[in-house]
Amino acid sequence: MPVEFLGIAATNDGSETTPRSGAAFDKEYTLRLARAHEEHGWDRVLFAYGSGSPDPAPAAAYIASRLDHLQILLAHRPNVSYPTFAAKTFATLDQISEGRLTVHFITGGNDHEQGREGDTLSKDERYTRTREYIRVVKKIWTTHEPFDHEGEHYRFHDFVSDVFPVQQPRPNVSFGGSSPAAYAAGGAEADVYCLWGEPLEKTAEQIEAVKAAAKAAGRADVPRIQVAFRPIIAPTEELAWEKAHRTVGAIREQGTAGLKRRHRTDAPQNAGSQRLLAIAEAGERYDRALWTPTAAATGGAGNSNALVGTPETVARALLDYYDLGVDILSARGYDLLGDAIDFGRYVIPLVREEVAKRDAERATRGTQTLAAVNG
């Protein structure tokens, strides 16, 4: 099966290790970073969402209008706009990008962060709302006659959009989470299910949970699986581990100031972060290259487990996840621009080459099996 690579479309050069050098929306840097991804083999970039951060939709439109091939993953929280409005925004962006949009719906795992924009629903209520929201957006994308909607969270009458996506029947929907409620919602509605990088055994368990949820929802298919990591690569193993320890030191020195602006730093409420912290507490190193101190240093905030080693080691580690059924690999370094270039130059080609070999071998075995059956 094909493999895809997802990077980050940051709007400034700040990270957990380095304070940003300019404004929150640095237009030139945003374009430079996106162009580096397009020129170095990445398939798409994520425009993330934060309560006080630049609006990702116009930032994504800015990039889409200036680049030819790079695809866009747009993060969106249902609490910030009505689904009728959001569906038109997404369709317009799909038109601007000529069919390169995927929408990532965020339910929200932190009450404090959600409350910053007036969202007072409980976590379970948010998941119910997200499922309804996604269904409404999908219907708006694909319905050319006016319709009414009477749901638990949204009610409207005689609505029909005049702008539709380029992609038919609609753009893909992405979703993430590690709780039973998340599996149920994403298993029912998502085309892509997103996980944070965990040890192989635990990732396999989550994949099975997503598949079970899709089956329980009556689906004949299952979502594609995406897993996210923080790669730390260097020419030798020794240099990579030296770099890894410097990175954790920089995170601690930085004091996660950026995280404190966006999130509370007490015990996390969301299951994904809780899992990351539990894994970090149980051990620092797992499998071929997974390293947890980066997650521990940030309090399990978001995508924070690292893959450490030479490009060859990190590529083999990513292939281990591919063998589990992961076909979208998300990676974001701590030097956003430099790491995007290095990962694209030295890791992506290795993974793509090995995936092509495996696919060719699989096709050969299939042909031989068919010949034997017909023989």
Side-chain angles (χ1 to χ4, degrees), residues 3-62:
V3 63
E4 297 181 7
F5 288 91
L6 169 70
I8 191 69
T11 58
N12 59 72
D13 61 358
S15 76
E16 296 93 331
T17 61
T18 309
R20 72 183 189 223
S21 61
F25 180 47
D26 181 335
K27 187 169 66 172
E28 288 72 23
Y29 181 84
T30 301
L31 179 57
R32 186 181 177 194
L33 180 60
R35 182 170 286 131
H37 282 86
E38 183 170 81
E39 293 175 350
H40 290 88
W42 299 79
D43 296 284
R44 61 172 54 84
V45 288
L46 166 66
F47 284 85
Y49 190 94
S51 60
S53 301
D55 187 347
Y62 168 68

Side-chain angles (χ1 to χ4, degrees), residues 2 6-7 15 36 39 42 54 61 114 124 188 194 204 216 255 275 311 318:
L6 169 70
S15 76
E39 293 175 350
W42 299 79
Q114 294 299 122
D124 287 345
C194 307
R275 289 175 65 99
L318 291 169

Side-chain angles (χ1 to χ4, degrees), residues 70-120:
L70 192 66
Q71 298 176 55
I72 291 164
L73 178 59
L74 179 69
H76 180 77
R77 289 181 183 168
N79 61 291
V80 300
S81 67
Y82 217 70
T84 51
F85 177 85
K88 295 184 295 180
T89 299
F90 304 147
T92 304
L93 182 52
D94 200 53
Q95 291 283 344
I96 292 170
S97 67
E98 299 181 327
R100 288 179 279 151
L101 176 69
T102 298
V103 181
H104 180 68
F105 289 93
I106 302 173
T107 298
N110 183 288
D111 292 344
H112 180 74
E113 168 68 3
Q114 294 299 122
R116 283 172 164 161
E117 292 189 284
D119 189 3
T120 59

Side-chain angles (χ1 to χ4, degrees), residues 50-355:
S51 60
S53 301
D55 187 347
Y62 168 68
I63 292 303
S65 66
R66 285 159 176 78
L67 300 182
D68 297 324
H69 306 294
L70 192 66
Q71 298 176 55
I72 291 164
L73 178 59
L74 179 69
H76 180 77
R77 289 181 183 168
N79 61 291
V80 300
S81 67
Y82 217 70
T84 51
F85 177 85
K88 295 184 295 180
T89 299
F90 304 147
T92 304
L93 182 52
D94 200 53
Q95 291 283 344
I96 292 170
S97 67
E98 299 181 327
R100 288 179 279 151
L101 176 69
T102 298
V103 181
H104 180 68
F105 289 93
I106 302 173
T107 298
N110 183 288
D111 292 344
H112 180 74
E113 168 68 3
Q114 294 299 122
R116 283 172 164 161
E117 292 189 284
D119 189 3
T120 59
L121 296 185
S122 68
K123 186 175 180 181
D124 287 345
E125 289 171 330
R126 292 199 297 267
Y127 274 112
T128 301
R129 178 183 61 191
T130 299
R131 292 183 71 165
E132 182 180 346
Y133 196 98
I134 293 173
R135 289 169 181 165
V136 170
V137 168
K138 286 179 177 177
K139 187 169 183 178
I140 292 170
W141 280 341
T142 56
T143 301
H144 292 259
E145 298 296 330
F147 69 96
D148 300 339
H149 178 79
E150 291 283 346
E152 181 178 350
H153 296 278
Y154 303 103
R155 296 173 181 83
F156 54 85
H157 304 282
D158 198 39
F159 180 82
V160 63
S161 177
D162 195 34
V163 57
F164 292 91
V166 170
Q167 298 176 79
Q168 293 297 314
R170 58 173 178 79
N172 281 334
V173 165
S174 172
F175 188 89
S178 297
S179 67
Y183 298 143
E189 299 297 337
D191 302 295
V192 177
Y193 200 99
C194 307
L195 302 170
W196 289 332
E198 295 187 4
L200 291 165
E201 181 180 1
K202 291 187 177 295
T203 300
E205 292 171 356
Q206 291 208 79
I207 292 173
E208 290 307 311
V210 172
K211 290 180 177 178
K215 183 178 180 181
R219 291 179 60 168
D221 63 339
V222 296
R224 297 174 65 194
I225 301 296
Q226 172 185 305
V227 177
F229 303 97
R230 306 302 293 270
I232 300 175
I233 61 172
T236 69
E237 295 293 326
E238 181 180 6
L239 290 173
W241 285 104
E242 289 177 0
K243 182 178 178 181
H245 288 288
R246 286 197 308 271
T247 298
V248 168
I251 292 172
R252 291 170 179 158
E253 184 177 349
Q254 176 79 354
T256 61
L259 293 172
K260 289 177 181 176
R261 283 194 298 271
R262 297 190 298 271
H263 306 287
R264 295 177 70 105
T265 54
D266 50 11
Q269 296 175 329
N270 62 306
S273 292
Q274 292 169 2
R275 289 175 65 99
L276 294 186
L277 290 179
I279 291 166
E281 185 176 352
E284 288 194 358
R285 295 180 66 168
Y286 292 87
D287 304 319
R288 196 185 299 272
L290 191 72
W291 197 54
T292 65
T294 46
T298 61
N303 170 23
S304 50
N305 269 341
L307 291 178
V308 182
T310 63
E312 292 77 12
T313 295
V314 171
R316 287 194 294 268
L318 291 169
L319 287 163
D320 291 338
Y321 287 90
Y322 175 82
D323 290 339
L324 290 181
V326 176
D327 64 343
I328 303 176
L329 300 168
S330 174
R332 171 165 57 100
Y334 292 94
D335 171 8
L336 299 179
L337 181 60
D339 287 344
I341 293 170
D342 286 347
F343 189 89
R345 282 177 175 169
Y346 303 119
V347 178
I348 289 178
L350 295 176
V351 176
R352 291 199 192 280
E353 181 181 3
E354 185 59 32
V355 166

